[in-house]
Amino acid sequence: MGRPSALTVTASPSTAQVPGLERGSYWITTFGCQMNKADSERMAGILESMGYREATAELDADLVLYNTCTIRDNAEQKVYSYLGRQARRKRINPHLKLVVAGCVAQQEGESLLRRVPELDLVMGPQHANRLETLLQQVESGQQVVATEEQHILEDITTARRDSSICGWVNVIYGCNERCTYCVVPSVRGKEQSRLPDAIRLEMEGLAAQGYREITLLGQNIDAYGRDLPGITAEGRRKNTLSDLLYHVHDVEGIERIRFATSHPRYFTRRLIDACADLPKLCEHFHIPFQSGDNDVLQAMARGYTIERYRKIIDHIRKRMPEASLSADVIVAFPGETDAQFRRTLQLIEEICFDLVNTAAYSPRPNTPAANWENQLPEDVKVARLQEINALVERCAKERNARYAGQVEEVLAEGINPKDPTQLMGRTRTNRLTFFTAVGADGRNYQPGDLVQVRINAVRSFSLSGTPVHG
């Protein structure tokens, strides 16, 4: 799902408290991918429906929840550092409630309680919608571990969204793939698709609240519908991601639709054609390739070849020449030779991606590759990561150069925190763009506006410009 990052959930201006119910304050810190961020928004909504209010600072909160990521070791270790600080607080204030949710919680389970006995609740990602029930058990004096496999109920909770303009909508949970480096299937469970009408209903609700852009979200979103019944007269599955896009495209009020994250094994021409045919689908594709060498891909158990990946890119550029392309890649996978690494560099240079999220291989618990003897030394990992990052930045700048002087539609998402006279948002191709809040005609633009912006400055990973009339 992209490069792990630490994201702190903050309050939405539209958040409403439950009258007459006050349980104290809460703080949620989210580590990791968009799926974790969406889970955190749902859990924040649950806490506020229970009568919690958002704390002004982490160390002042009465309930602290860490929604964790185990994709990379550094993200996991950061969680333990944060927990140590909160454990010291709890020894002074035993009324503090301390919760670990997400992938580290699922991976470690009861062993987390042995490592941090001050914890009140350990809960895996499949239990996010059960937070209220689990906290009721904590309030009755129990120390709770919830990591058993769970059928995820429809999103009946009201998420407290981090944005009032762009929203996440989960369409499929879990992952059935068995990539040899990845811990996700063991911590997020089997694939479980939501029903198309439930997804559309959630989008209609967001549109009614004024949301302009929706990102459909899944760990392996191209697998959407594999577990749903139905075959068409042509003999294909009735509920595919392409079908879902047609089903939700005409939701009134939603101006843009994106989806993530894709898997090359299941990415189809029909999906590309749907994106080209449906005006609200943004011209941006995030398709991880992980390595530019077929033997490494086979060792990773990715299930496709570089030739297959190139055909996907070729068809995208044939149907949507201006589309932006982003990807994920892992360097220094066990046994990766210098020649194999060079093939990855060659693929990046030939395709010239708009953005590539890079990571050096990190052994993860309960994955086959972690036990292999052909692990590469840290100095090789560092050197390869530095080299690939330099190439990625150069390619990104080359791709961004095409925007210079062009007028691009930008959805204003908020105020530039470094310059309050500017708004910030994204083009349809997902390029971060800064622009003056006041146009040449004197019009004041606000977050939520779709703005035509003439690009006058190009950087590797962002653009700047000025609104133009009309």
Side-chain angles (χ1 to χ4, degrees), residues 66 68 76 79-80 83 99-119 121-124 143-145 147:
Y66 295 129
T68 59
E76 186 175 334
V79 171
Y80 288 117
L83 279 173
V99 180
V100 174
C103 296
V104 171
Q106 183 70 33
Q107 175 183 286
E108 300 299 323
E110 289 188 7
S111 66
L112 259 177
L113 298 184
R114 293 191 291 272
R115 185 165 180 173
V116 187
E118 292 82 4
L119 282 171
L121 171 60
V122 175
M123 53 181 287
Q143 195 177 36
V144 181
V145 176
T147 54

Side-chain angles (χ1 to χ4, degrees), residues 316-370:
I316 289 173
R317 287 191 164 155
K318 178 182 178 182
R319 288 300 317 271
M320 305 169 72
E322 294 305 310
S324 64
L325 297 167
S326 59
D328 300 338
V329 65
I330 297 170
V331 301
F333 187 74
E336 181 189 66
T337 66
D338 183 69
Q340 290 170 329
F341 172 61
R342 299 290 150 199
R343 281 191 273 277
T344 296
L345 297 177
Q346 181 181 355
L347 181 70
I348 292 173
E349 190 149 27
E350 289 177 356
I351 292 178
C352 202
F353 291 91
D354 293 76
L355 178 67
V356 180
N357 298 321
T358 62
Y361 170 75
S362 175
R364 307 311 300 135
N366 305 315
T367 60

Side-chain angles (χ1 to χ4, degrees), residues 165 203 207 210-214 248-258 278-282 409 411 428 448-450:
I165 297 163
M203 290 178 64
Y211 282 80
R212 310 296 302 277
E213 178 179 299
I214 296 298
V248 303
H249 180 264
D250 63 346
V251 172
E252 188 174 352
I254 300 301
E255 301 290 340
R256 292 177 169 185
I257 299 173
R258 304 182 190 273
L278 296 172
K280 292 183 182 180
L281 265 292
C282 289
E409 178 192 87
L411 175 59
R428 289 177 59 91
D449 288 341
L450 282 168

Side-chain angles (χ1 to χ4, degrees), residues 391-460:
L391 175 60
V392 165
E393 183 170 355
R394 177 168 63 81
C395 289
K397 191 168 185 177
E398 288 177 11
R399 287 288 290 167
N400 268 2
R402 74 189 193 275
Y403 295 109
Q406 298 297 309
V407 175
E408 296 290 327
E409 178 192 87
V410 179
L411 175 59
E413 298 177 24
I415 297 170
N416 181 355
K418 296 182 179 179
D419 183 350
T421 69
Q422 290 186 333
L423 293 174
M424 56 189 292
R426 293 184 182 271
T427 66
R428 289 177 59 91
T429 54
N430 207 40
R431 308 317 297 153
L432 178 63
T433 305
F434 302 93
F435 59 95
T436 53
V438 180
D441 57 355
R443 176 178 171 181
N444 283 284
Y445 293 96
Q446 303 294 327
D449 288 341
L450 282 168
V451 185
Q452 298 298 316
V453 177
R454 186 175 300 280
I455 306 303
N456 52 38
V458 173
R459 294 170 293 276
S460 295

